[in-house]
Amino acid sequence: MDDEKQIRWIGSAYDDLLAFPKDARKEAGFQLGKVQAGLEPTDWKPFDDVGAGIREIRIRDASGIFRVMYIAKFEEAVYVLHCFQKKTQVTSKQDKAIATARYRAVVGARKGEK
């Protein structure tokens, strides 16, 4: 398992994930482990309106609906951009704005490294 990508948490994403209920948190960790190993999460959808290559892991449990937005297209790491509980059918503008800003920060930082 040495070929697993590391996970890089952007902004408050890690703390936000820790605030999930226990079962949702465990499921998110399991799904991110699959992504690290180069596998597809069980339930996901593309979220290209935030940025190219953004995906959203979808988690449902008794306490609600949760999302983990990430990007895994870069060689060096899986970047977790935003973790949140979804309250409505449509992802809120605020959640999209947070993920978009963090995506831009990742892309900008990566350009600075080169």
Side-chain angles (χ1 to χ4, degrees):
M1 294 280 245
D2 289 342
D3 55 349
E4 277 191 1
K5 290 183 181 183
Q6 65 173 250
I7 291 183
R8 294 189 184 164
W9 302 90
I10 309 302
S12 64
Y14 185 70
D15 291 334
D16 296 339
L17 180 69
L18 290 179
F20 283 12
K22 182 181 176 187
D23 289 343
R25 192 171 60 240
K26 284 172 67 176
E27 182 64 20
F30 177 73
Q31 297 301 328
L32 284 170
K34 290 174 80 170
V35 173
Q36 276 185 286
L39 304 171
E40 299 271 314
T42 304
D43 186 3
W44 68 276
K45 73 174 193 173
F47 222 94
D48 290 330
D49 54 338
V50 168
I54 302 288
R55 290 183 170 188
E56 177 182 72
I57 296 172
R58 304 187 303 182
I59 300 165
R60 279 180 195 271
D61 85 345
S63 50
I65 299 170
F66 300 88
R67 298 291 187 257
V68 177
M69 285 188 176
Y70 71 95
I71 184 157
K73 71 178 184 179
F74 303 125
E75 279 183 32
E76 70 277 6
V78 174
Y79 292 91
V80 179
L81 303 174
H82 188 35
C83 303
F84 60 98
Q85 182 170 6
K86 198 163 175 183
K87 307 274 189 193
T88 62
Q89 198 71 27
V90 178
T91 302
S92 75
K93 288 181 180 177
Q94 181 184 4
D95 288 319
K96 285 183 185 177
I98 290 168
T100 301
R102 291 178 180 171
Y103 173 72
R104 289 185 180 144
V106 167
V107 170
R110 289 184 82 254
K111 284 182 182 169
E113 289 174 7
K114 293 182 178 175

